Amino acid sequence: MKDLLTISSFNLLRTLKTKAVFIGIPFMIILIFALNVVFATFISGIWGIKLAYTMTIMLSVIYLVFYNVFATGTSYVVDSNTGIQGLMVRRGAYKWIILYTRFFAAKVITFSFIALSFSQFIIFLHVIKPLGYDLYLDGYVYGILALIPFDILFSGFVILVTTMSFRLKAILPLGWIVGIFSSLYWVLSPIFYLFSTLSSFSQGDNLVTYNAMKLIEQEKTNKTNNNFYTLLRKSNIEYLDAIRGLASGGERGLLYLEIKPDSNLARALDLEAEPGLKYFIYPITDFFGSIHSNYPVRYNSFLELATRILEGDDSVVKLAADYVKTFPLFDDSGVTVRLNDQPDSFDDDGRTLVQKIREKLENNLYLKFINAIGFTSTDQNEKATLAKQSWYMNKTTSNYNGEKQFGAVLNEKINMNNTELVKLFPTDTNLEENLNSLKEILQKQFKFGLNIISPRSDSFLSYKQLIKVSSRDDDDEQDREQNFSLSDAGREKIEEIEPEVSKNIEAISRFSNTLPSTVLINGTIGMVMKAPGVTSKNDLEGLEKTIFMMTFNPFTYFFTMTLLSGKEDFYYDDFGISNSILPAGNFATPNIKYKGGNPDSIDHSSGPVKETNIKDLSMEVRSRPVKVQLIYFGFIAVGILLTLLAYLPYSRNIYKKGAE
């Protein structure tokens, strides 16, 4: 026991005095923290924290490799060559004490380093609060602890190689080869998935599909067709049918700009003003945004336009005109917003497009539902403040928890206390349960989707085709119209004029009473009510290959530990795999099945699943092919085994070295 304590304290003190410890550890921790701050500060979106997380593990692996090879492995060789080991042998120290006290002294250092690496990342998350930090604190940060089984396994490998030869020429190259490959786990592991990656490994796609099916499963629990989900889904289809009409209306669309040849805008766009030209026409219907975008990235949604259509033609034109005037060069008298009052070109009944849309929206249940759960305001200062705090402007915790933001809609509006909402569904006997399930799904969609996805920049200037309207001749009854494209100079000018989405929000908040949270909740509900695609044969084969790869390919095990050491459910597994820097096969991809008919009969383009198809859809989600706990156990067990096996060559070679 005396030898054990003496040699242990001797090895530990020697280890603490090495430059690899008192210089190497502080330098490495400071470097990792500084790089994390740089990534979070200068790289937008979820990529900042993804790179910080990956870099933390990669640099930690590099240090552990360096320390195990140089400070631990070579120390056995140095002790042998300097005679320290031989002295211990001659004084009667047990061989296992000489071997393992140095090993355990090294583990004190490496485990301390891992603890510091883990702690600095926790501090980084709390102080910097990068996008998605709450999800990492919720469990993903524990992937850094995968360094512990890695260190045990790698150090066992190093000590075995060392004791077999006691030669630096064998230890250094072999150790560094294994170490370099280990530090590049985030590159090398996904390579194996190239043969099994699904065609849609996107976390966003999986999340929407899963939540859409959760809504369908909840709808199936209702015994009548007068339940909340069935009624809402049916009216949502009618709402989308009406909204799609906004994109029609011939070449002019529903709304268009009338641009005079002598206007500032015409000159800026280098428009060709031929003799006799009355004005240019520029369709702008799309400035209210795409209804089929994967994420509701545009503040100026069709929701506001639908409300104005019900109010009357003048309200529609005023909304568009007020918005257009916020753009440079669009605020002069030579640019006028017009509503297309011509008969719908797709129907000969003489009604205009806006008349048809108004008829479809007048008693639409879905539109009433959104208005019942949404927030509006007429206070200009409040609207500007809430717009700046919204998801569209800046990704912060206020996007969900702020006043009249997303979380407020869920907590204050979607419940049985909202009498305006409850009155819309008088026949649903399970309304409270249905509302709670919708609230939970929307909450998950925000936390694992919108919370980590930044809105893209968009504007209404999406058309590159204009229409020339020439003065009619004496014998003509109609103006002459001719399509033409913008010149290169004009296209470049439009690209300069197109504002980012944040500027759109600040502009529209001055005249739109619909708050950003209402638009966001509308878009999110639209996402999860969209028809989930039936899993294709190719994707199903890719899913099986991914599961096989995760189960039987040991090169992906460390990669799996770093991504899946948190909570085990669909949301965390899907987010974990998708947080790989390089795409990897996702075993959590939902397998959507269709039984009772041809899956092609599902109308995937129209948004929600038709109610006649709901009962035939089912979902299968795979659990983790290999338990992460089992991988941890395997790494640690093999590492310990290698360390114990090292005693055999050590006991043979120590006498040779000690006698030299």
Side-chain angles (χ1 to χ4, degrees):
M1 181 61 68
K2 182 178 179 181
D3 287 342
L4 176 62
L5 294 176
T6 302
I7 297 177
S8 296
S9 59
F10 170 72
N11 283 328
L12 183 59
L13 290 174
R14 279 201 307 162
T15 302
L16 291 173
K17 293 178 182 179
T18 60
K19 293 182 179 180
V21 174
F22 73 83
I23 294 179
I25 290 181
F27 172 79
M28 209 64 178
I29 295 299
I30 293 173
L31 174 63
I32 293 172
F33 187 85
L35 288 175
N36 289 347
V37 173
V38 169
F39 288 139
T41 303
F42 296 102
I43 299 179
S44 61
I46 193 66
W47 277 97
I49 194 171
K50 285 170 66 172
L51 288 172
Y53 180 74
T54 303
M55 188 60 64
T56 295
I57 296 177
M58 186 183 76
L59 292 179
S60 297
V61 167
I62 290 175
Y63 178 81
L64 293 174
V65 169
F66 164 79
Y67 188 83
N68 278 300
V69 172
F70 280 95
T72 304
T74 58
S75 65
Y76 286 105
V77 179
V78 172
D79 282 357
S80 174
N81 294 337
T82 57
I84 294 178
Q85 184 173 262
L87 179 62
M88 293 180 182
V89 172
R90 288 192 294 272
R91 289 194 172 185
Y94 289 107
K95 292 176 286 184
W96 65 268
I97 292 179
I98 301 173
L99 174 63
Y100 292 121
T101 51
R102 171 162 284 282
F103 173 79
F104 285 117
K107 293 308 98 186
V108 170
I109 301 303
T110 56
F111 286 3
S112 298
F113 172 79
I114 294 171
L116 289 173
S117 181
F118 179 79
S119 300
Q120 70 80 28
F121 197 78
I122 294 289
I123 295 171
F124 158 74
L125 293 177
H126 280 289
V127 174
I128 306 300
K129 294 185 177 180
L131 187 63
Y133 81 97
D134 53 333
L135 289 175
Y136 278 83
L137 286 174
D138 219 10
Y140 293 113
V141 68
Y142 296 112
I144 296 176
L145 298 181
L147 293 169
I148 294 175
F150 167 80
D151 178 59
I152 293 174
L153 177 62
F154 184 75
S155 59
F157 166 78
V158 169
I159 194 173
L160 178 62
V161 172
T162 301
T163 56
M164 290 175 66
S165 65
F166 280 99
R167 297 176 59 191
L168 290 176
K169 291 182 178 180
I171 301 170
L172 298 181
L174 195 57
W176 273 111
I177 289 173
V178 175
I180 290 173
F181 276 94
S182 299
S183 66
L184 295 176
Y185 76 97
W186 57 278
V187 175
L188 299 178
S189 295
I191 288 177
F192 291 102
Y193 287 105
L194 290 177
F195 304 100
S196 61
T197 300
L198 305 178
S199 61
S200 58
F201 60 82
S202 167
Q203 177 260 345
D205 292 341
N206 288 342
L207 180 63
V208 172
T209 298
Y210 183 83
N211 282 334
M213 283 304 304
K214 294 294 286 185
L215 283 183
I216 290 173
E217 290 173 356
Q218 176 63 28
E219 183 172 352
K220 288 180 182 181
T221 64
N222 292 273
K223 297 180 180 180
T224 68
N225 291 329
N226 293 324
N227 67 81
F228 165 78
Y229 281 116
T230 301
L231 294 174
L232 192 64
R233 193 182 297 277
K234 183 178 179 180
S235 62
N236 181 263
I237 294 173
E238 295 169 352
Y239 169 78
L240 291 180
D241 285 341
I243 294 303
R244 280 188 202 91
L246 297 174
S248 60
E251 293 172 339
R252 296 191 181 203
L254 177 68
L255 291 160
Y256 60 89
L257 297 180
E258 195 176 85
I259 307 171
K260 293 182 179 180
D262 60 348
S263 66
N264 295 333
L265 180 61
R267 287 191 292 268
L269 297 180
D270 195 25
L271 302 182
E272 302 173 9
E274 300 171 351
L277 186 70
K278 288 181 65 177
Y279 47 78
F280 302 95
I281 289 178
Y282 198 104
I284 61 168
T285 297
D286 271 8
F287 89 87
F288 282 94
S290 169
I291 58 174
H292 288 303
S293 175
N294 286 335
Y295 292 92
V297 297
R298 302 181 183 185
Y299 177 80
N300 300 342
S301 73
F302 280 111
L303 179 64
E304 179 73 16
L305 183 55
T307 302
R308 296 302 182 99
I309 286 175
L310 291 176
E311 293 177 356
D313 295 359
D314 292 341
S315 182
V316 177
V317 173
K318 186 178 186 305
L319 172 68
D322 288 344
Y323 180 66
V324 165
K325 289 177 182 179
T326 64
F327 287 76
L329 303 174
F330 283 71
D331 56 354
D332 65 60
S333 58
V335 180
T336 306
V337 175
R338 301 291 186 191
L339 182 68
N340 189 352
D341 58 0
Q342 298 178 0
D344 186 0
S345 60
F346 295 96
D347 202 335
D348 296 329
D349 62 2
R351 291 180 300 165
T352 64
L353 181 61
V354 70
Q355 288 174 333
K356 294 181 179 180
I357 295 173
R358 186 178 293 126
E359 290 176 6
K360 293 181 179 180
L361 294 177
E362 279 178 340
N363 296 304
N364 184 264
L365 180 63
Y366 177 79
L367 188 56
K368 292 180 180 179
F369 167 75
I370 293 297
N371 289 331
I373 66 172
F375 287 108
T376 59
S377 176
T378 57
D379 186 288
Q380 300 300 327
N381 293 330
E382 182 186 39
K383 288 191 293 184
T385 300
L386 294 176
K388 292 177 182 178
Q389 295 175 353
S390 71
W391 175 82
Y392 299 93
M393 285 287 287
N394 187 27
K395 303 302 288 297
T396 66
T397 55
S398 67
N399 301 159
Y400 185 88
N401 299 322
E403 179 187 3
K404 295 184 179 180
Q405 298 296 345
F406 197 94
V409 174
L410 300 185
N411 298 323
E412 299 176 26
K413 293 285 192 173
I414 304 181
N415 55 57
M416 298 298 289
N417 295 325
N418 186 343
T419 56
E420 184 181 357
L421 165 62
V422 173
K423 288 178 181 178
L424 295 175
F425 305 95
T427 59
D428 190 344
T429 57
N430 296 320
L431 183 58
E432 184 173 8
E433 180 183 345
N434 288 330
L435 290 178
N436 288 336
S437 67
L438 176 65
K439 184 190 302 185
E440 181 182 356
I441 287 171
L442 294 177
Q443 188 178 42
K444 293 291 179 62
Q445 188 66 43
F446 187 95
K447 181 177 181 179
F448 292 91
L450 298 174
N451 188 39
I452 58 175
I453 304 291
S454 296
R456 298 186 296 268
S457 297
D458 284 298
S459 82
F460 76 94
L461 297 172
S462 57
Y463 287 80
K464 304 303 180 187
Q465 192 85 8
L466 285 86
I467 302 172
K468 286 181 180 179
V469 180
S470 302
S471 298
R472 60 183 178 220
D473 297 330
D474 293 337
D475 56 347
D476 288 337
E477 295 183 357
Q478 299 290 334
D479 292 334
R480 292 182 177 180
E481 296 187 3
Q482 176 188 1
N483 290 331
F484 78 104
S485 298
L486 284 172
S487 64
D488 291 339
R491 282 194 291 270
E492 291 176 1
K493 192 64 181 179
I494 278 191
E495 291 173 358
E496 293 176 7
I497 294 173
E498 287 182 343
E500 293 184 354
V501 70
S502 60
K503 297 178 183 177
N504 284 351
I505 299 167
E506 287 186 306
I508 202 172
S509 66
R510 293 198 296 268
F511 54 84
S512 172
N513 295 334
T514 304
L515 296 182
S517 59
T518 304
V519 176
L520 188 59
I521 206 79
N522 173 49
T524 309
I525 291 174
M527 281 191 292
V528 296
M529 295 194 77
K530 190 176 180 181
V534 176
T535 306
S536 68
K537 181 179 179 181
N538 289 337
D539 277 357
L540 188 57
E541 291 176 353
L543 180 59
E544 297 299 334
K545 291 178 180 178
T546 292
I547 293 172
F548 178 85
M549 190 68 63
M550 291 189 68
T551 306
F552 299 106
N553 189 344
F555 292 101
T556 65
Y557 289 165
F558 181 66
F559 177 76
T560 300
M561 284 192 293
T562 62
L563 296 178
L564 299 177
S565 290
K567 296 180 181 179
E568 185 175 358
D569 68 6
F570 165 80
Y571 294 105
Y572 286 91
D573 288 348
D574 183 50
F575 177 78
I577 290 293
S578 67
N579 261 333
S580 168
I581 296 296
L582 296 178
N586 192 342
F587 70 91
T589 299
N591 178 19
I592 307 301
K593 302 176 180 180
Y594 182 84
K595 51 187 177 181
N598 182 359
D600 294 334
S601 63
I602 297 180
D603 184 3
H604 297 288
S605 63
S606 63
V609 179
K610 293 179 180 178
E611 58 270 22
T612 54
N613 299 126
I614 294 295
K615 64 181 183 300
D616 296 320
L617 289 173
S618 62
M619 174 174 63
E620 177 190 34
V621 178
R622 305 292 183 90
S623 58
R624 295 176 180 177
V626 179
K627 296 293 184 182
V628 175
Q629 299 91 324
L630 186 61
I631 301 178
Y632 271 79
F633 175 79
F635 269 55
I636 294 173
V638 173
I640 293 175
L641 179 61
L642 294 177
T643 304
L644 294 176
L645 288 175
Y647 180 77
L648 298 177
Y650 183 79
S651 62
R652 293 194 304 267
N653 295 331
I654 189 173
Y655 292 111
K656 298 177 183 178
K657 295 295 178 181
E660 291 175 355

mmCIF file with all atom_site columns, all heavy atoms in Angstrom, residues 437-451:
data_model
loop_
_atom_site.group_PDB
_atom_site.id
_atom_site.type_symbol
_atom_site.label_atom_id
_atom_site.label_alt_id
_atom_site.label_comp_id
_atom_site.label_asym_id
_atom_site.label_entity_id
_atom_site.label_seq_id
_atom_site.pdbx_PDB_ins_code
_atom_site.Cartn_x
_atom_site.Cartn_y
_atom_site.Cartn_z
_atom_site.occupancy
_atom_site.B_iso_or_equiv
_atom_site.pdbx_formal_charge
_atom_site.auth_seq_id
_atom_site.auth_comp_id
_atom_site.auth_asym_id
_atom_site.auth_atom_id
_atom_site.pdbx_PDB_model_num
ATOM 1   N N   . SER A 1 437 ? -54.243 19.100 -28.040 1.00 0.00 ? 437 SER A N   1
ATOM 2   C CA  . SER A 1 437 ? -53.337 18.370 -28.934 1.00 0.00 ? 437 SER A CA  1
ATOM 3   C C   . SER A 1 437 ? -52.784 19.294 -30.010 1.00 0.00 ? 437 SER A C   1
ATOM 4   O O   . SER A 1 437 ? -51.600 19.220 -30.356 1.00 0.00 ? 437 SER A O   1
ATOM 5   C CB  . SER A 1 437 ? -54.053 17.184 -29.571 1.00 0.00 ? 437 SER A CB  1
ATOM 6   O OG  . SER A 1 437 ? -55.077 17.612 -30.460 1.00 0.00 ? 437 SER A OG  1
ATOM 7   N N   . LEU A 1 438 ? -53.626 20.191 -30.538 1.00 0.00 ? 438 LEU A N   1
ATOM 8   C CA  . LEU A 1 438 ? -53.144 21.159 -31.527 1.00 0.00 ? 438 LEU A CA  1
ATOM 9   C C   . LEU A 1 438 ? -52.107 22.080 -30.906 1.00 0.00 ? 438 LEU A C   1
ATOM 10  O O   . LEU A 1 438 ? -51.060 22.364 -31.507 1.00 0.00 ? 438 LEU A O   1
ATOM 11  C CB  . LEU A 1 438 ? -54.313 21.971 -32.074 1.00 0.00 ? 438 LEU A CB  1
ATOM 12  C CG  . LEU A 1 438 ? -53.931 23.100 -33.051 1.00 0.00 ? 438 LEU A CG  1
ATOM 13  C CD1 . LEU A 1 438 ? -53.313 22.521 -34.316 1.00 0.00 ? 438 LEU A CD1 1
ATOM 14  C CD2 . LEU A 1 438 ? -55.134 23.960 -33.388 1.00 0.00 ? 438 LEU A CD2 1
ATOM 15  N N   . LYS A 1 439 ? -52.379 22.531 -29.695 1.00 0.00 ? 439 LYS A N   1
ATOM 16  C CA  . LYS A 1 439 ? -51.449 23.424 -29.005 1.00 0.00 ? 439 LYS A CA  1
ATOM 17  C C   . LYS A 1 439 ? -50.083 22.752 -28.801 1.00 0.00 ? 439 LYS A C   1
ATOM 18  O O   . LYS A 1 439 ? -49.034 23.361 -29.023 1.00 0.00 ? 439 LYS A O   1
ATOM 19  C CB  . LYS A 1 439 ? -52.040 23.832 -27.659 1.00 0.00 ? 439 LYS A CB  1
ATOM 20  C CG  . LYS A 1 439 ? -51.203 24.846 -26.895 1.00 0.00 ? 439 LYS A CG  1
ATOM 21  C CD  . LYS A 1 439 ? -51.713 25.031 -25.472 1.00 0.00 ? 439 LYS A CD  1
ATOM 22  C CE  . LYS A 1 439 ? -53.152 25.460 -25.439 1.00 0.00 ? 439 LYS A CE  1
ATOM 23  N NZ  . LYS A 1 439 ? -53.599 25.742 -24.052 1.00 0.00 ? 439 LYS A NZ  1
ATOM 24  N N   . GLU A 1 440 ? -50.108 21.489 -28.389 1.00 0.00 ? 440 GLU A N   1
ATOM 25  C CA  . GLU A 1 440 ? -48.857 20.765 -28.155 1.00 0.00 ? 440 GLU A CA  1
ATOM 26  C C   . GLU A 1 440 ? -48.055 20.598 -29.445 1.00 0.00 ? 440 GLU A C   1
ATOM 27  O O   . GLU A 1 440 ? -46.829 20.761 -29.459 1.00 0.00 ? 440 GLU A O   1
ATOM 28  C CB  . GLU A 1 440 ? -49.163 19.393 -27.556 1.00 0.00 ? 440 GLU A CB  1
ATOM 29  C CG  . GLU A 1 440 ? -47.924 18.568 -27.257 1.00 0.00 ? 440 GLU A CG  1
ATOM 30  C CD  . GLU A 1 440 ? -48.252 17.199 -26.704 1.00 0.00 ? 440 GLU A CD  1
ATOM 31  O OE1 . GLU A 1 440 ? -49.444 16.908 -26.486 1.00 0.00 ? 440 GLU A OE1 1
ATOM 32  O OE2 . GLU A 1 440 ? -47.310 16.408 -26.503 1.00 0.00 ? 440 GLU A OE2 1
ATOM 33  N N   . ILE A 1 441 ? -48.737 20.286 -30.533 1.00 0.00 ? 441 ILE A N   1
ATOM 34  C CA  . ILE A 1 441 ? -48.053 20.088 -31.812 1.00 0.00 ? 441 ILE A CA  1
ATOM 35  C C   . ILE A 1 441 ? -47.467 21.402 -32.323 1.00 0.00 ? 441 ILE A C   1
ATOM 36  O O   . ILE A 1 441 ? -46.336 21.446 -32.816 1.00 0.00 ? 441 ILE A O   1
ATOM 37  C CB  . ILE A 1 441 ? -49.018 19.473 -32.838 1.00 0.00 ? 441 ILE A CB  1
ATOM 38  C CG1 . ILE A 1 441 ? -49.269 18.002 -32.477 1.00 0.00 ? 441 ILE A CG1 1
ATOM 39  C CG2 . ILE A 1 441 ? -48.477 19.586 -34.267 1.00 0.00 ? 441 ILE A CG2 1
ATOM 40  C CD1 . ILE A 1 441 ? -50.360 17.351 -33.273 1.00 0.00 ? 441 ILE A CD1 1
ATOM 41  N N   . LEU A 1 442 ? -48.219 22.492 -32.195 1.00 0.00 ? 442 LEU A N   1
ATOM 42  C CA  . LEU A 1 442 ? -47.704 23.799 -32.622 1.00 0.00 ? 442 LEU A CA  1
ATOM 43  C C   . LEU A 1 442 ? -46.509 24.212 -31.773 1.00 0.00 ? 442 LEU A C   1
ATOM 44  O O   . LEU A 1 442 ? -45.557 24.827 -32.274 1.00 0.00 ? 442 LEU A O   1
ATOM 45  C CB  . LEU A 1 442 ? -48.809 24.848 -32.536 1.00 0.00 ? 442 LEU A CB  1
ATOM 46  C CG  . LEU A 1 442 ? -49.987 24.674 -33.498 1.00 0.00 ? 442 LEU A CG  1
ATOM 47  C CD1 . LEU A 1 442 ? -51.037 25.745 -33.258 1.00 0.00 ? 442 LEU A CD1 1
ATOM 48  C CD2 . LEU A 1 442 ? -49.512 24.717 -34.952 1.00 0.00 ? 442 LEU A CD2 1
ATOM 49  N N   . GLN A 1 443 ? -46.551 23.876 -30.504 1.00 0.00 ? 443 GLN A N   1
ATOM 50  C CA  . GLN A 1 443 ? -45.436 24.182 -29.612 1.00 0.00 ? 443 GLN A CA  1
ATOM 51  C C   . GLN A 1 443 ? -44.175 23.432 -30.052 1.00 0.00 ? 443 GLN A C   1
ATOM 52  O O   . GLN A 1 443 ? -43.072 24.012 -30.098 1.00 0.00 ? 443 GLN A O   1
ATOM 53  C CB  . GLN A 1 443 ? -45.810 23.810 -28.184 1.00 0.00 ? 443 GLN A CB  1
ATOM 54  C CG  . GLN A 1 443 ? -44.813 24.261 -27.127 1.00 0.00 ? 443 GLN A CG  1
ATOM 55  C CD  . GLN A 1 443 ? -45.278 23.899 -25.742 1.00 0.00 ? 443 GLN A CD  1
ATOM 56  O OE1 . GLN A 1 443 ? -45.788 22.799 -25.511 1.00 0.00 ? 443 GLN A OE1 1
ATOM 57  N NE2 . GLN A 1 443 ? -45.133 24.814 -24.800 1.00 0.00 ? 443 GLN A NE2 1
ATOM 58  N N   . LYS A 1 444 ? -44.328 22.149 -30.389 1.00 0.00 ? 444 LYS A N   1
ATOM 59  C CA  . LYS A 1 444 ? -43.192 21.358 -30.852 1.00 0.00 ? 444 LYS A CA  1
ATOM 60  C C   . LYS A 1 444 ? -42.693 21.867 -32.206 1.00 0.00 ? 444 LYS A C   1
ATOM 61  O O   . LYS A 1 444 ? -41.480 21.875 -32.465 1.00 0.00 ? 444 LYS A O   1
ATOM 62  C CB  . LYS A 1 444 ? -43.594 19.885 -30.959 1.00 0.00 ? 444 LYS A CB  1
ATOM 63  C CG  . LYS A 1 444 ? -43.886 19.216 -29.629 1.00 0.00 ? 444 LYS A CG  1
ATOM 64  C CD  . LYS A 1 444 ? -42.629 19.053 -28.803 1.00 0.00 ? 444 LYS A CD  1
ATOM 65  C CE  . LYS A 1 444 ? -42.902 18.395 -27.450 1.00 0.00 ? 444 LYS A CE  1
ATOM 66  N NZ  . LYS A 1 444 ? -43.447 17.052 -27.553 1.00 0.00 ? 444 LYS A NZ  1
ATOM 67  N N   . GLN A 1 445 ? -43.606 22.277 -33.061 1.00 0.00 ? 445 GLN A N   1
ATOM 68  C CA  . GLN A 1 445 ? -43.202 22.789 -34.372 1.00 0.00 ? 445 GLN A CA  1
ATOM 69  C C   . GLN A 1 445 ? -42.357 24.048 -34.218 1.00 0.00 ? 445 GLN A C   1
ATOM 70  O O   . GLN A 1 445 ? -41.398 24.263 -34.957 1.00 0.00 ? 445 GLN A O   1
ATOM 71  C CB  . GLN A 1 445 ? -44.439 23.086 -35.230 1.00 0.00 ? 445 GLN A CB  1
ATOM 72  C CG  . GLN A 1 445 ? -44.127 23.452 -36.674 1.00 0.00 ? 445 GLN A CG  1
ATOM 73  C CD  . GLN A 1 445 ? -43.521 22.301 -37.451 1.00 0.00 ? 445 GLN A CD  1
ATOM 74  O OE1 . GLN A 1 445 ? -43.955 21.160 -37.346 1.00 0.00 ? 445 GLN A OE1 1
ATOM 75  N NE2 . GLN A 1 445 ? -42.505 22.589 -38.243 1.00 0.00 ? 445 GLN A NE2 1
ATOM 76  N N   . PHE A 1 446 ? -42.712 24.874 -33.243 1.00 0.00 ? 446 PHE A N   1
ATOM 77  C CA  . PHE A 1 446 ? -41.928 26.081 -33.009 1.00 0.00 ? 446 PHE A CA  1
ATOM 78  C C   . PHE A 1 446 ? -40.574 25.740 -32.396 1.00 0.00 ? 446 PHE A C   1
ATOM 79  O O   . PHE A 1 446 ? -39.532 26.201 -32.860 1.00 0.00 ? 446 PHE A O   1
ATOM 80  C CB  . PHE A 1 446 ? -42.681 27.033 -32.071 1.00 0.00 ? 446 PHE A CB  1
ATOM 81  C CG  . PHE A 1 446 ? -42.004 28.377 -31.916 1.00 0.00 ? 446 PHE A CG  1
ATOM 82  C CD1 . PHE A 1 446 ? -42.378 29.444 -32.703 1.00 0.00 ? 446 PHE A CD1 1
ATOM 83  C CD2 . PHE A 1 446 ? -40.984 28.559 -30.990 1.00 0.00 ? 446 PHE A CD2 1
ATOM 84  C CE1 . PHE A 1 446 ? -41.753 30.673 -32.575 1.00 0.00 ? 446 PHE A CE1 1
ATOM 85  C CE2 . PHE A 1 446 ? -40.349 29.777 -30.852 1.00 0.00 ? 446 PHE A CE2 1
ATOM 86  C CZ  . PHE A 1 446 ? -40.739 30.841 -31.651 1.00 0.00 ? 446 PHE A CZ  1
ATOM 87  N N   . LYS A 1 447 ? -40.585 24.907 -31.371 1.00 0.00 ? 447 LYS A N   1
ATOM 88  C CA  . LYS A 1 447 ? -39.355 24.609 -30.635 1.00 0.00 ? 447 LYS A CA  1
ATOM 89  C C   . LYS A 1 447 ? -38.317 23.918 -31.501 1.00 0.00 ? 447 LYS A C   1
ATOM 90  O O   . LYS A 1 447 ? -37.131 24.262 -31.456 1.00 0.00 ? 447 LYS A O   1
ATOM 91  C CB  . LYS A 1 447 ? -39.685 23.737 -29.421 1.00 0.00 ? 447 LYS A CB  1
ATOM 92  C CG  . LYS A 1 447 ? -38.478 23.387 -28.567 1.00 0.00 ? 447 LYS A CG  1
ATOM 93  C CD  . LYS A 1 447 ? -38.889 22.594 -27.338 1.00 0.00 ? 447 LYS A CD  1
ATOM 94  C CE  . LYS A 1 447 ? -37.682 22.267 -26.466 1.00 0.00 ? 447 LYS A CE  1
ATOM 95  N NZ  . LYS A 1 447 ? -38.070 21.522 -25.243 1.00 0.00 ? 447 LYS A NZ  1
ATOM 96  N N   . PHE A 1 448 ? -38.745 22.940 -32.293 1.00 0.00 ? 448 PHE A N   1
ATOM 97  C CA  . PHE A 1 448 ? -37.794 22.154 -33.071 1.00 0.00 ? 448 PHE A CA  1
ATOM 98  C C   . PHE A 1 448 ? -37.708 22.589 -34.539 1.00 0.00 ? 448 PHE A C   1
ATOM 99  O O   . PHE A 1 448 ? -36.920 22.033 -35.286 1.00 0.00 ? 448 PHE A O   1
ATOM 100 C CB  . PHE A 1 448 ? -38.169 20.671 -33.010 1.00 0.00 ? 448 PHE A CB  1
ATOM 101 C CG  . PHE A 1 448 ? -37.995 20.069 -31.652 1.00 0.00 ? 448 PHE A CG  1
ATOM 102 C CD1 . PHE A 1 448 ? -39.044 20.053 -30.747 1.00 0.00 ? 448 PHE A CD1 1
ATOM 103 C CD2 . PHE A 1 448 ? -36.782 19.539 -31.263 1.00 0.00 ? 448 PHE A CD2 1
ATOM 104 C CE1 . PHE A 1 448 ? -38.895 19.513 -29.481 1.00 0.00 ? 448 PHE A CE1 1
ATOM 105 C CE2 . PHE A 1 448 ? -36.617 18.993 -30.000 1.00 0.00 ? 448 PHE A CE2 1
ATOM 106 C CZ  . PHE A 1 448 ? -37.677 18.980 -29.101 1.00 0.00 ? 448 PHE A CZ  1
ATOM 107 N N   . GLY A 1 449 ? -38.541 23.543 -34.924 1.00 0.00 ? 449 GLY A N   1
ATOM 108 C CA  . GLY A 1 449 ? -38.530 23.991 -36.311 1.00 0.00 ? 449 GLY A CA  1
ATOM 109 C C   . GLY A 1 449 ? -38.287 25.476 -36.426 1.00 0.00 ? 449 GLY A C   1
ATOM 110 O O   . GLY A 1 449 ? -37.188 25.938 -36.714 1.00 0.00 ? 449 GLY A O   1
ATOM 111 N N   . LEU A 1 450 ? -39.313 26.280 -36.162 1.00 0.00 ? 450 LEU A N   1
ATOM 112 C CA  . LEU A 1 450 ? -39.202 27.725 -36.317 1.00 0.00 ? 450 LEU A CA  1
ATOM 113 C C   . LEU A 1 450 ? -38.139 28.324 -35.416 1.00 0.00 ? 450 LEU A C   1
ATOM 114 O O   . LEU A 1 450 ? -37.475 29.297 -35.783 1.00 0.00 ? 450 LEU A O   1
ATOM 115 C CB  . LEU A 1 450 ? -40.554 28.383 -36.011 1.00 0.00 ? 450 LEU A CB  1
ATOM 116 C CG  . LEU A 1 450 ? -41.713 27.982 -36.916 1.00 0.00 ? 450 LEU A CG  1
ATOM 117 C CD1 . LEU A 1 450 ? -43.001 28.588 -36.410 1.00 0.00 ? 450 LEU A CD1 1
ATOM 118 C CD2 . LEU A 1 450 ? -41.450 28.402 -38.344 1.00 0.00 ? 450 LEU A CD2 1
ATOM 119 N N   . ASN A 1 451 ? -37.963 27.750 -34.238 1.00 0.00 ? 451 ASN A N   1
ATOM 120 C CA  . ASN A 1 451 ? -37.007 28.279 -33.274 1.00 0.00 ? 451 ASN A CA  1
ATOM 121 C C   . ASN A 1 451 ? -35.568 28.240 -33.774 1.00 0.00 ? 451 ASN A C   1
ATOM 122 O O   . ASN A 1 451 ? -34.720 28.993 -33.318 1.00 0.00 ? 451 ASN A O   1
ATOM 123 C CB  . ASN A 1 451 ? -37.108 27.485 -31.965 1.00 0.00 ? 451 ASN A CB  1
ATOM 124 C CG  . ASN A 1 451 ? -36.294 28.098 -30.852 1.00 0.00 ? 451 ASN A CG  1
ATOM 125 O OD1 . ASN A 1 451 ? -36.228 29.307 -30.717 1.00 0.00 ? 451 ASN A OD1 1
ATOM 126 N ND2 . ASN A 1 451 ? -35.667 27.265 -30.048 1.00 0.00 ? 451 ASN A ND2 1
#
